Amino acid sequence: MATKILHGEPVGGGVVTGRVRVVINPRDAVTVEAGEIVVIPHSSPEYAIGVMQAAGLICEYGGVICHICTVAAELGIPCVTEVKGATALLSTSMSVTLDGDNGIVYAA
Amino acid sequence: MPPDSGQARVDRYRESLRKGWRHNGDSYVWPIKLSAAMHLFAKAYGDELIEDINALEASGKSLAEIARPFYNPARPYRLIDYAIYSMRRNRCSLKEQRQMVLRMLDMMRSLKDSDEFTEDGRSIIYRPTQAKGIADHLASLPPASLAESQVVHRFCAAMWAYTEAIWFRAHDVTKEFHGPYAPRDDQHPFVVKEYMNLSPRELWPDEPLLECQHIVIYKSYRPPVRARVDCHNRVFHEGGALIPHLDRYSVSVDGVWQPCDVLPPYVAAIQRAIPAIARVVEQMNWNEVALKYADIFWFRKKPLTDQRGRDWRVPESVRDAVRAGKELDRRRVALSEDDCEKLALLTI
C-alpha cells in the first residue's frame, strides 16, 4: 500500500504519478519539464509557465481558488493546495503519486 | 418575503459575498495584498463611482443604459463593494447604502438573462439566437481530438495566467465566464470563457502584450463532465477529467474564428509576456505597485467616465496619497474561512 506523506485541500483533476520539481523562485518555473509534478510555495502568475508543462501541482499556501490552482484546474491536471511543509519535505526528483480529488500525496 | 423584494435581494447579495469570499484569505497574494493598500484610494474611488452613476442618472439615462457599456455583468457586481466602502466612511445611512446596492444590482441584472446571483449555476448573457448560432457553429465542427484538447486546455490556462499578470486581481475588467448554454437538444451544453482588454497600453506601455483585445473560448464536454458558473464568474467543472471529455471547442480572436494551430503561438507569446511583466513589477516598490492597482481600479469604471466625457485616470490628489502612503499591516494577515464569511455578512 502506498505511504501517505502529505495532505492538503483537494482542488481536483484526478490522480497522477510523477517526478517532483520543487520551484521556489518563480523565475525557475521555465525549468519545469513535461510530466513533472510541480511543488510551489504560493500562487504567482510566473509559476504558471512551469505549471503549463506539469502533470500535477502541489501548492503549499493558497486557497482552492487561488490563481495558480485555477490555472491547474484550467489545465485539467491534479492539484492539491494548502499542503503544509510541501516545499521542505518534498525534493526535486523524488517520485510521488498525487491524488487531486482527495488532497493526498503518496510516496511512489 | 418576496424573492425580488429589496430586502431579499440585499440578503442574497450578502450571501453571494459570503460564498465568494470564504476562500479569499490567502496570506500571500501577487503582487501585493490589495486589502493592505485599499485605504489609500478606495474611498476616493467609491466616491467617484457613486458620483458617476448619480450624474449619469441625472442626465436622463436609465440604469440599464448606464450599465450597457460595461458589457459584462461581473463589472458592476464587483464594484458594489467599493460604493459601500465609500458610503460607510461618509456615514451614509444603512438605508441609503442598501438603495445603492439595489441600483447597482439593477445595473448588473440588466446585463444578464438569468438569476442575478447565479444560484442555479447558470449565468446567461447571450440572447437565445446568439447562443443557437454558437451551438450551430460548434455542431458543424468535428469532435476535438485528444491532442487538440490538450492544446485548448493549455491555452485556457495561459489566458488565465496572462490576465492575472496584466490586471492583477481585477478579474471583472478582463474576464466574463458564462453559460452553460444548451440551445440544441442534440448537443452538450457549452460554456463561454471571454477575455477582454487584453492589450491595455494605458497600463503597460512598453511590455510585450498580446496584440488582440478580445478572445472567446467556447467549450462543450461529454458526460460525466458538467459545468456550473457562480456569480463571481468562476466555472466549476465536475464529474470527470476535462481533457478526455472535451467534445467540441472553438476560439475567436477579435471576432474572427481561429483554427487550433494558432493557439500554441498565443501560448508562446503569453509565456514571454508574463515574465516580462513580472520583472517590471519586481522593480517597483510597494507604493508603485499600489499606484498600478489604483490605475487598474480607475480603468474598471472607465465606461462610466467615458459616458460623462471625462478623463478616466486616477486624480493627481489620489496619486499623491498612494505615493506617500503606507501598507496597512493589520490588513496583511491571512483571514480564516470563518473570518472571510463574517466579513462578507457584515458588509451591508
Side-chain angles (χ1 to χ4, degrees):
Chain A
M1 200 167 88
T3 308
K4 178 177 155 181
I5 50 175
L6 287 167
H7 66 93
E9 292 292 323
V11 180
V15 180
V16 69
T17 297
R19 198 176 62 232
V20 163
R21 168 77 66 154
V22 179
V23 182
I24 304 296
N25 186 334
R27 290 182 187 223
D28 295 335
V30 292
T31 64
V32 173
E33 293 176 13
E36 291 184 320
I37 294 175
V38 174
V39 181
I40 57 172
H42 51 67
S43 182
S44 175
E46 208 169 359
Y47 287 127
I49 306 289
V51 173
M52 281 191 274
Q53 305 290 335
L57 172 65
I58 298 170
C59 189
E60 187 160 355
Y61 294 102
V64 293
I65 57 163
C66 76
H67 286 199
I68 202 70
C69 293
T70 304
V71 168
E74 291 283 335
L75 282 165
I77 60 173
C79 176
V80 181
T81 189
E82 294 289 347
V83 185
K84 300 295 184 306
T87 55
L89 296 169
L90 300 174
S91 54
T92 293
S93 294
M94 72 187 286
S95 286
V96 297
T97 296
L98 175 64
D99 181 346
D101 297 328
N102 293 297
I104 301 171
V105 183
Y106 299 95
Chain B
M1 192 188 308
D4 209 36
S5 72
Q7 183 59 51
R9 289 176 74 203
V10 170
D11 289 346
R12 292 175 73 209
Y13 169 69
R14 195 189 296 118
E15 177 62 14
S16 74
L17 292 184
R18 189 185 68 80
K19 288 178 184 165
W21 288 4
R22 66 184 159 198
H23 299 300
N24 257 354
D26 296 349
S27 56
Y28 176 87
V29 177
W30 186 90
I32 59 172
K33 187 100 171 168
L34 175 59
S35 55
M38 289 248 303
H39 63 290
L40 300 176
F41 59 81
K43 181 179 177 299
Y45 181 71
D47 288 350
E48 261 198 33
L49 172 67
I50 293 167
E51 186 199 323
D52 286 340
I53 294 169
N54 287 343
L56 289 167
E57 262 199 312
S59 74
K61 289 192 172 192
S62 69
L63 288 169
E65 287 169 326
I66 296 167
R68 198 167 300 137
F70 278 116
Y71 172 68
N72 52 319
R75 285 180 81 172
Y77 173 78
R78 287 188 181 241
L79 292 179
I80 295 173
D81 194 28
Y82 303 102
I84 301 170
Y85 185 100
S86 148
M87 294 181 86
R88 288 173 81 161
R89 278 147 190 84
N90 287 326
R91 300 186 179 283
C92 295
S93 68
L94 196 56
K95 185 179 174 191
E96 289 171 304
Q97 293 177 44
R98 288 180 173 172
Q99 282 169 345
M100 190 68 209
V101 170
L102 292 172
R103 288 165 72 201
M104 294 187 72
L105 287 175
D106 284 344
M107 290 170 65
M108 185 258 276
R109 190 156 70 171
S110 71
L111 296 172
K112 65 196 291 190
D113 205 14
S114 54
D115 176 68
E116 62 186 322
F117 300 106
T118 322
E119 286 176 359
D120 59 356
R122 295 165 64 244
S123 181
I124 302 301
I125 295 178
Y126 287 165
R127 299 282 173 220
T129 49
Q130 194 178 2
K132 175 72 165 47
I134 301 295
D136 291 345
H137 169 69
L138 288 172
S140 72
L141 302 171
S145 68
L146 196 59
E148 278 180 313
S149 180
Q150 284 166 335
V151 170
V152 170
H153 285 90
R154 197 151 179 250
F155 179 63
C156 290
M159 287 304 302
W160 178 277
Y162 173 74
T163 51
E164 183 194 4
I166 60 172
W167 288 109
F168 301 169
R169 288 171 76 88
H171 302 284
D172 51 289
V173 78
T174 188
K175 300 181 195 75
E176 184 73 32
F177 294 171
H178 48 112
Y181 296 91
R184 286 174 57 134
D185 292 338
D186 62 344
Q187 199 182 14
H188 304 301
F190 67 89
V191 291
V192 183
K193 296 190 169 180
E194 200 158 353
Y195 290 94
M196 296 149 285
N197 294 311
L198 295 174
S199 192
R201 287 290 169 206
E202 300 93 331
L203 296 168
W204 305 103
D206 303 316
E207 285 64 42
L209 304 177
L210 292 181
E211 288 178 6
C212 58
Q213 288 290 359
H214 192 191
I215 290 180
V216 191
I217 305 163
Y218 304 91
K219 293 191 293 182
S220 66
Y221 289 92
R222 288 185 290 275
V225 173
R226 57 194 179 280
R228 66 181 167 86
V229 179
D230 76 0
C231 69
H232 293 266
N233 237 243
R234 296 179 295 230
V235 179
F236 297 92
H237 288 102
E238 293 153 343
L242 297 189
I243 289 174
H245 290 102
L246 181 68
D247 183 41
R248 286 177 168 80
Y249 75 94
S250 193
V251 175
S252 81
V253 176
D254 288 337
V256 179
W257 296 118
Q258 303 292 327
C260 187
D261 57 9
V262 307
L263 303 185
Y266 276 104
V267 173
I270 288 169
Q271 286 174 323
R272 289 189 296 274
I274 291 173
I277 290 167
R279 292 296 82 76
V280 171
V281 173
E282 260 177 22
Q283 300 298 315
M284 295 175 171
N285 63 33
W286 184 87
N287 295 76
E288 287 168 331
V289 180
L291 195 51
K292 184 66 80 178
Y293 242 131
D295 288 333
I296 288 171
F297 266 61
W298 261 260
F299 191 94
R300 289 169 83 177
K301 71 176 191 67
K302 186 171 179 286
L304 299 177
T305 40
D306 282 353
Q307 288 180 76
R308 296 183 71 191
R310 295 192 169 194
D311 186 356
W312 67 272
R313 282 169 288 203
V314 182
E316 205 50 47
S317 58
V318 176
R319 302 186 79 83
D320 289 342
V322 176
R323 284 190 196 104
K326 286 196 165 61
E327 190 173 17
L328 205 57
D329 282 341
R330 65 185 165 82
R331 300 297 303 274
R332 287 181 63 191
V333 295
L335 295 179
S336 69
E337 209 165 285
D338 280 351
D339 289 339
C340 289
E341 292 199 18
K342 279 180 198 154
L343 192 63
L345 294 175
L346 286 171
T347 294
I348 182 77

